[in-house]
Structure formats: structure tokens, C-alpha cells
């Protein structure tokens, strides 16, 4: 059995859930997640935490293409 998630993992997971509830058809970038996690998690840790959550099966992670880029 995998160890429980740490506080910073749960903070990012909660932010991602809240973003998904607001708009389930949108793809969220690392920077947009970091903006919502300002005081709880360092911006430099967001990418690592999201990838960790993906390996554990909590989130989907894909490379997205945007016409705005």
C-alpha cells in the first residue's frame, strides 16, 4: 500500500479539483495551478507534484496545444 499523500500534495490536488469544478472542459497549466497555490506550495514544486499525482493515478497529465501560443 502506498503511503498517504503529504500536505503539499493535498493542497495541489484540492486546487486542481476546484479548478476542474469551475470549468471541466479546460486544460490547466502549471503556472495557473501555481497562481492558485500561492501561499501553500512553492511555484517551483508544482510541476513535480502534478507529475507525482499522475503517477499515483490522481490526475491526468497531457501535453496540450493551444492556438493562443
Amino acid at each position: 500500500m502506498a503511503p498517504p499523500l503529504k500536505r503539499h500534495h493535498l493542497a495541489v490536488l484540492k486546487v486542481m479539483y476546484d479548478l476542474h469544478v469551475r470549468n471541466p472542459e479546460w486544460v490547466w497549466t502549471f503556472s495557473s495551478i501555481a497562481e492558485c497555490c500561492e501561499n501553500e506550495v512553492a511555484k517551483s514544486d508544482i510541476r513535480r507534484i502534478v507529475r507525482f499525482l499522475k503517477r499515483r493515478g490522481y490526475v491526468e497529465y497531457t501535453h496540450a496545444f493551444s492556438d493562443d501560443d
Side-chain angles (χ1 to χ4, degrees):
M1 186 166 137
L5 295 177
K6 295 181 180 176
R7 182 184 52 79
H8 57 279
H9 297 138
L10 290 173
V12 172
L13 190 58
K14 182 184 180 316
V15 165
M16 293 178 72
Y17 176 77
D18 291 343
L19 289 170
H20 175 72
V21 167
R22 281 189 233 157
N23 190 347
E25 297 176 5
W26 191 255
V27 175
W28 302 101
T29 62
F30 293 126
S31 59
S32 63
I33 296 167
E35 287 175 14
C36 296
C37 290
E38 287 177 5
N39 301 325
E40 299 179 54
V41 180
K43 188 175 184 175
S44 58
D45 293 336
I46 297 295
R47 181 178 304 221
R48 179 182 53 80
I49 292 170
V50 170
R51 289 182 176 162
F52 171 82
L53 292 171
K54 190 233 183 259
R55 284 192 307 273
R56 287 276 189 97
Y58 289 102
V59 299
E60 284 185 37
Y61 169 80
T62 61
H63 296 279
F65 176 76
S66 172
D67 291 335
D68 296 336
D69 291 340

